């Protein structure tokens, strides 16, 4: 049966850790036992040396060696045997300068020459070694034997049975193996614990799967058209894909830095940092409208996804403009229908002259209103916006007035920005004025003094040029903005209006109407961002008599007196317009 290498990361780590732990324990045991044998040999020879030195220092042995002859019952043999039994040595041999034994464990060896060379000891050196003799292998030591005058008269050789040294080594192995087994068991338990934790963290995937997942992650992060920003538990940017870098305008070294260091304070930073709760949160980054969703991760960090809704918002505003144009056309259609009915009635009654006067008066009044706006507002886009908003305001029962102080030449650098600012302000003002008209009780009869009657709702627009600065002021007779909310109305995603319901003709199961329904709280935020981009400001104050006044200042929004926005001389453009 073939052993197969496991595929999962946790199993591979467990096997590798067990193999490493076992190998380390075997190596450690071998490295411990190898020097232990040498140390035991060294300890045995030292012990033999100590016994030999003690024996050689006994004066009775020196006297017996010089005064008697070798004998199994002589004083040298007697004293040497006493030392051997007391120290449990294998043998204690005393020899003369000729190498003849005067003592030995076996009495028959006394008087014979020793089996090993005694010249080193007889020359005055001490010897320690493991060697073989007549009694077998032993740890032995040899020392010179001196008389009372300090002359070498022989040598003492002491041996310790090598079997006892080996037995000590063998006796040490079970305890050593027990310790090694305990360490191996502890290492195995630690390996199992690490493996389980790793399996839980990696969800049981294999190394090949991890590599594939990383490749897929990189491809997905840098291929999707949504921005993805990941944060760690300390709020530092862990990852930002290419789209997030583009949408937020991050630097190349943003990874690893705190969010507050790479983005300016504001709602966008608060949304990304999780200081604003909710889903599909709106934020404005530069000129882009973003929708952000934040999802926390297990390690205390978070992942934020960003969707660019700029084009959708622009499309929605174009739809609003189209809807506004349709509303204006519908209002004019109703108005023209009523006028045609009036003319038809006059003609049927035969009052032809009266019909001619009525048509002339209506045409003159309409032309006078349009001409009044065109005279005061030189840019055709801005004046067309005001004419269209006038018709829409009339249909909603609100009067749109042009302030007598309005005077804006046709030197607008970028009319689209001015149309965006003015259109948002007028739409908000019309909503506020119409809301107050609907919620107020009807006016008292004509007998009530005029000071006590309800004020007719209106919106007043003032456009002024101060050198190259355009000043826009839109006031309304709506409910106004409380002082504590005058800064919040310019925040992205904040609005006092309820979301508009879907069209009655829409299919409830069809998500398209909901997908194209624009969110509230973007218009005034874009107004402030545009004003800040021009280096100006946007603010709201209270109107005398009730209502609100929105003022926007756009420095450098107008070209100098001698040039218009596209570089054409102002006099040339003026003359061309007059000729037309």
């Amino acid at each position: 049966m073939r052993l197969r290498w496991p595929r999962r990361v946790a199993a591979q780590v467990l096997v590798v850790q067990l193999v490493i732990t076992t190998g380390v324990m075997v190596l450690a045991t071998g490295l411990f036992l190898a020097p232990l044998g040498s140390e035991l040999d060294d300890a045995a020879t030292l012990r033999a040396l100590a016994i030999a030195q003690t024996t050689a220092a006994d004066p009775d042995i020196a006297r017996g060696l010089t005064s008697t002859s070798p004998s199994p019952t002589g004083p040298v043999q007697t004293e040497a045997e006493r030392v051997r039994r007391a120290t449990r040595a294998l043998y204690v041999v005393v020899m003369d300068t000729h190498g003849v034994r005067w003592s030995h464990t076996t009495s028959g060896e006394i008087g014979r020459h020793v089996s090993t060379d005694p010249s080193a000891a007889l020359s005055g050196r001490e010897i320690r070694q493991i060697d073989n003799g007549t009694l077998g292998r032993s740890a032995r030591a040899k020392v010179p034997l001196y008389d009372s005058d300090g002359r070498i008269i022989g040598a003492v050789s002491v041996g310790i049975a090598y079997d006892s040294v080996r037995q000590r080594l063998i006796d040490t192995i079970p305890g050593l193996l027990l310790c090694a087994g305990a360490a191996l068991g502890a290492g195995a338990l630690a390996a199992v614990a690490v493996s389980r934790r790793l399996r839980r963290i990696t969800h049981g995937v294999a190394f090949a799967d991890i590599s594939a997942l990383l490749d897929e992650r990189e491809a997905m992060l840098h291929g999707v058209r949504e921005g993805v920003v990941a944060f760690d538990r300390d709020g530092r940017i862990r990852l930002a894909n290419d789209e997030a870098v583009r949408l937020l305008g991050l630097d190349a070294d943003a990874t690893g830095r705190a969010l507050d260091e790479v983005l300016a304070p504001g709602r966008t930073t608060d949304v990304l940092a999780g200081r604003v709760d909710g889903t599909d949160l709106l934020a404005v980054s530069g000129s882009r409208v973003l929708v952000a969703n934040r999802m926390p991760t297990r390690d205390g960090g978070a992942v934020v996804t960003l969707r660019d809704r700029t084009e959708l918002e622009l499309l929605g505003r174009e739809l609003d403009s189209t809807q506004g144009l349709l509303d204006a056309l519908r209002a004019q259609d109703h108005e023209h229908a009523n006028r045609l009915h009036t003319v038809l009635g006059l003609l049927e009654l035969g009052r032809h002259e009266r019909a001619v006067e009525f048509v002339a008066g209506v045409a003159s009044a309409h032309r006078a209103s349009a001409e009044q706006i065109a005279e005061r507002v030189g840019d055709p886009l801005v004046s067309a916006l005001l004419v269209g908003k006038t018709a829409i305001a009339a249909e909603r029962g609100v009067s749109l007035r042009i302030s007598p102080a309005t005077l804006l030449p046709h030197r607008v650098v970028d009319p689209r920005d001015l149309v965006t600012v003015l259109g948002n302000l007028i739409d908000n003002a019309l909503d506020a004025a119409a809301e107050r008209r609907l919620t107020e009780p009807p006016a008292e009869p004509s007998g009530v003094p005029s000071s006590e009657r309800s004020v007719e709702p209106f919106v007043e627009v003032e456009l002024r040029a101060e050198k190259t600065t355009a000043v826009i002021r839109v006031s309304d007779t709506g409910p106004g903005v409380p002082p504590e909310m005058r800064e919040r109305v310019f925040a992205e995603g904040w609005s006092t209006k309820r979301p508009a319901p879907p069209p009655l003709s829409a299919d409830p199961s069809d998500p398209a109407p909901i997908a194209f329904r624009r969110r509230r709280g973007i218009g005034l935020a874009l107004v402030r961002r545009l004003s800040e981009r021009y280096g100006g400001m946007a603010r709201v104050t209270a109107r005398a008599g009730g209502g609100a006044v929105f003022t926007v200042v756009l420095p450098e929004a107008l070209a100098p007196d001698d040039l218009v926005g596209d570089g054409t001389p102002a006099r040339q453009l003026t003359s061309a317009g007059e000729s037309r």
Side-chain angles (χ1 to χ4, degrees):
M1 183 176 180
R2 294 180 59 185
L3 295 178
R4 299 183 61 184
W5 183 252
R7 295 183 67 251
R8 293 186 177 183
V9 176
Q12 292 184 18
V13 171
L14 176 60
V15 171
V16 170
Q17 286 183 324
L18 289 177
V19 170
I20 292 176
T21 304
T22 304
V24 168
M25 294 311 304
V26 170
L27 180 62
T29 303
L31 293 177
F32 181 79
L33 289 177
L36 179 61
S38 299
E39 291 177 0
L40 291 176
D41 290 347
D42 188 63
T45 58
L46 286 175
R47 180 186 171 200
L49 179 63
I51 297 173
Q53 290 173 342
T54 303
T55 304
D58 189 349
D60 293 338
I61 291 180
R63 281 195 301 269
L65 187 64
T66 57
S67 61
T68 62
S69 59
S71 174
T73 59
V76 176
Q77 170 68 3
T78 303
E79 186 65 22
E81 282 298 300
R82 184 187 66 79
V83 172
R84 184 186 67 80
R85 288 191 296 269
T87 59
R88 296 182 181 179
L90 178 63
Y91 63 84
V92 176
V93 175
V94 179
M95 69 191 76
D96 58 15
T97 55
H98 301 290
V100 177
R101 298 187 186 97
W102 286 63
S103 65
H104 197 274
T105 304
T106 304
S107 301
E109 295 292 334
I110 297 175
R112 295 181 180 181
H113 198 278
V114 294
S115 59
T116 57
D117 185 14
S119 58
L122 294 175
S123 64
R125 290 184 298 163
E126 294 180 347
I127 302 300
R128 291 190 301 132
Q129 59 186 1
I130 304 295
D131 203 355
N132 295 317
T134 57
L135 296 179
R137 190 172 181 80
S138 62
R140 61 181 59 182
K142 298 177 181 179
V143 299
L145 179 62
Y146 298 92
D147 61 5
S148 58
D149 296 329
R151 291 176 301 176
I152 297 177
I153 59 174
V156 177
S157 177
V158 175
I160 295 177
Y162 195 73
D163 291 341
S164 63
V165 177
R166 185 182 303 165
Q167 187 62 40
R168 291 181 59 190
L169 179 61
I170 293 175
D171 293 342
T172 308
I173 291 178
L176 181 62
L177 292 179
L178 182 61
C179 294
L184 181 61
L189 291 177
V192 171
V194 172
S195 175
R196 288 185 176 179
R197 176 172 175 79
L198 190 59
R199 181 176 57 188
R200 188 167 56 252
I201 294 175
T202 59
H203 302 285
V205 299
F207 274 114
D209 297 334
I210 291 178
S211 178
L213 287 174
L214 288 176
D215 293 339
E216 293 171 2
R217 167 182 172 271
E218 290 298 317
M220 179 185 65
L221 286 177
H222 297 289
V224 297
R225 300 304 299 168
E226 290 190 1
V228 179
V229 185
F231 301 94
D232 59 15
R233 66 176 60 189
D234 298 322
R236 291 188 297 267
I237 297 177
R238 180 185 298 167
L239 177 144
N241 67 347
D242 299 338
E243 185 68 6
V245 171
R246 183 183 70 86
L247 295 177
L248 299 176
L250 299 177
D251 297 331
D253 59 345
T255 303
R257 299 170 59 187
L259 181 63
D260 294 331
E261 296 179 6
V262 298
L263 290 181
R267 176 178 170 84
T268 302
T269 305
D270 294 338
V271 169
L272 295 179
R275 293 190 282 266
V276 180
D277 296 330
T279 59
D280 291 341
L281 298 174
L282 292 175
V284 177
S285 177
S287 59
R288 299 189 176 276
V289 179
L290 308 178
V291 177
N293 283 282
R294 181 183 173 93
M295 179 65 65
T297 55
R298 291 183 179 180
D299 61 353
V303 175
V304 179
T305 58
L306 301 170
R307 299 196 305 270
D308 188 0
R309 289 181 57 96
T310 305
E311 295 181 0
L312 188 59
E313 287 295 327
L314 292 177
L315 178 61
R317 297 194 179 282
E318 290 180 4
L319 291 176
D320 284 349
S321 301
T322 304
Q323 184 63 40
L325 178 60
L326 292 176
D327 292 342
L329 291 176
R330 185 175 64 252
Q332 290 180 357
D333 178 64
H334 292 171
E335 185 178 358
H336 288 314
N338 293 332
R339 291 170 181 173
L340 287 175
H341 292 161
T342 303
V343 172
L344 179 61
L346 291 174
L347 292 177
E348 289 181 352
L349 292 174
R351 306 188 65 175
H352 303 83
E353 296 181 357
R354 180 57 180 162
V356 172
E357 292 178 0
F358 177 76
V359 172
V362 169
S364 176
H366 181 75
R367 184 170 54 255
S369 176
E371 289 179 354
Q372 180 185 11
I373 294 176
E375 288 177 358
R376 294 183 177 275
V377 181
D379 188 86
L381 289 180
V382 180
S383 59
L385 175 68
L386 291 175
V387 172
K389 294 296 184 182
T390 301
I392 296 174
E395 186 185 23
R396 300 183 64 179
V398 180
S399 174
L400 180 62
R401 305 176 184 177
I402 305 300
S403 171
T406 296
L407 184 59
L408 186 70
H410 46 69
R411 294 185 286 107
V412 180
V413 175
D414 191 346
R416 293 172 299 179
D417 290 344
L418 201 61
V419 167
T420 298
V421 173
L422 187 59
N424 279 298
L425 294 180
I426 292 177
D427 287 342
N428 286 335
L430 290 177
D431 291 342
E435 178 183 358
R436 184 169 182 180
R437 183 181 69 84
L438 293 175
T439 56
E440 281 188 349
E444 296 293 336
S446 58
V448 179
S450 59
S451 59
E452 299 180 7
R453 297 177 190 171
S454 298
V455 179
E456 178 187 1
F458 68 87
V459 174
E460 186 176 67
V461 178
E462 179 182 340
L463 300 173
R464 291 187 293 106
E466 298 179 356
K467 296 183 179 180
T468 59
T469 299
V471 179
I472 304 173
R473 183 174 288 111
V474 177
S475 58
D476 61 72
T477 56
V481 180
E484 65 274 9
M485 295 185 181
R486 289 177 183 172
E487 282 299 318
R488 296 180 61 188
V489 295
F490 293 103
E492 303 99 281
W494 192 91
S495 176
T496 58
K497 305 173 187 176
R498 296 180 179 179
L504 296 177
S505 60
D507 184 0
S509 62
D510 184 10
I514 300 177
F516 282 93
R517 199 185 316 155
R518 289 194 304 109
R519 298 173 180 271
R520 299 289 189 179
I522 291 295
L524 290 179
L526 290 177
V527 167
R528 169 159 282 187
R529 286 299 177 93
L530 279 173
S531 65
E532 292 176 349
R533 192 173 69 182
Y534 277 90
M537 61 87 184
R539 69 170 184 269
V540 57
T541 55
R543 174 185 170 275
V549 179
F550 286 83
T551 304
V552 178
V553 178
L554 302 176
E556 307 301 329
L558 305 178
D561 293 340
D562 56 340
L563 292 176
V564 293
D566 58 355
T568 306
R571 294 187 182 88
Q572 179 180 344
L573 185 60
T574 302
S575 60
E578 290 175 353
S579 64
R580 289 195 298 268

